[in-house]
Amino acid sequence: MTYGDFIKDAKTQDAASKCAESIGLAANELSKLDPSLEREFPNLQLDRAYKSRNKLSHGYYAVEQEIVWTTVTESIPRTVAAARQAKLKHDGNDGAEPTAGDRSEDR
């Protein structure tokens, strides 16, 4: 989908906004569960995601669709990549393929 298509489609705009709100809410819950996440994995941008959620959800200002577009096409994919890296680090895996001794079926 192009930005032009996005601007013409109110349903997609609403869906994108709601998804971004949900991600922001989840980011806040993660921060509450483990406040060290923001420090340990700054690329997750948990605080920023929650602040964006509040702007979308409460309509502090008119929602600018260009910002929603940038959020869903750039910011969220970066956050997902950061979350994957955080999970790998948390699980003790540096992203390398598991060796024979690491595979659960070998245990």
Side-chain angles (χ1 to χ4, degrees), residues 15 32 42 56 83 105:
K32 288 180 192 176
L56 288 169
E105 65 267 13

Side-chain angles (χ1 to χ4, degrees), residues 38-54:
E38 188 78 40
R39 275 190 324 277
E40 193 172 347
F41 304 104
N43 289 343
L44 286 174
Q45 300 183 9
L46 299 176
D47 187 54
R48 185 175 180 189
Y50 186 61
K51 287 177 182 176
S52 294
R53 178 258 175 208
N54 286 340

Side-chain angles (χ1 to χ4, degrees), residues 97-107:
E97 290 295 318
T99 62
D102 293 337
R103 293 188 194 115
S104 60
E105 65 267 13
D106 291 336
R107 291 185 194 156

Side-chain angles (χ1 to χ4, degrees), residues 13-106:
Q13 292 172 21
D14 288 345
S17 292
K18 292 299 178 194
C19 287
E21 285 179 41
S22 294
I23 290 168
L25 191 57
N28 187 51
E29 293 301 315
L30 280 172
S31 290
K32 288 180 192 176
L33 287 172
D34 188 349
S36 70
L37 285 173
E38 188 78 40
R39 275 190 324 277
E40 193 172 347
F41 304 104
N43 289 343
L44 286 174
Q45 300 183 9
L46 299 176
D47 187 54
R48 185 175 180 189
Y50 186 61
K51 287 177 182 176
S52 294
R53 178 258 175 208
N54 286 340
K55 285 183 182 180
L56 288 169
S57 184
H58 301 294
Y60 294 138
Y61 304 99
V63 175
E64 294 181 36
Q65 294 306 323
E66 185 174 354
I67 293 171
V68 174
W69 173 257
T70 301
T71 299
V72 300
T73 61
E74 295 177 21
S75 299
I76 290 173
R78 278 196 307 267
T79 300
V80 168
R84 286 185 176 134
Q85 288 300 313
K87 184 176 183 331
L88 287 173
K89 184 174 180 182
H90 178 269
D91 292 346
N93 184 345
D94 61 3
E97 290 295 318
T99 62
D102 293 337
R103 293 188 194 115
S104 60
E105 65 267 13
D106 291 336

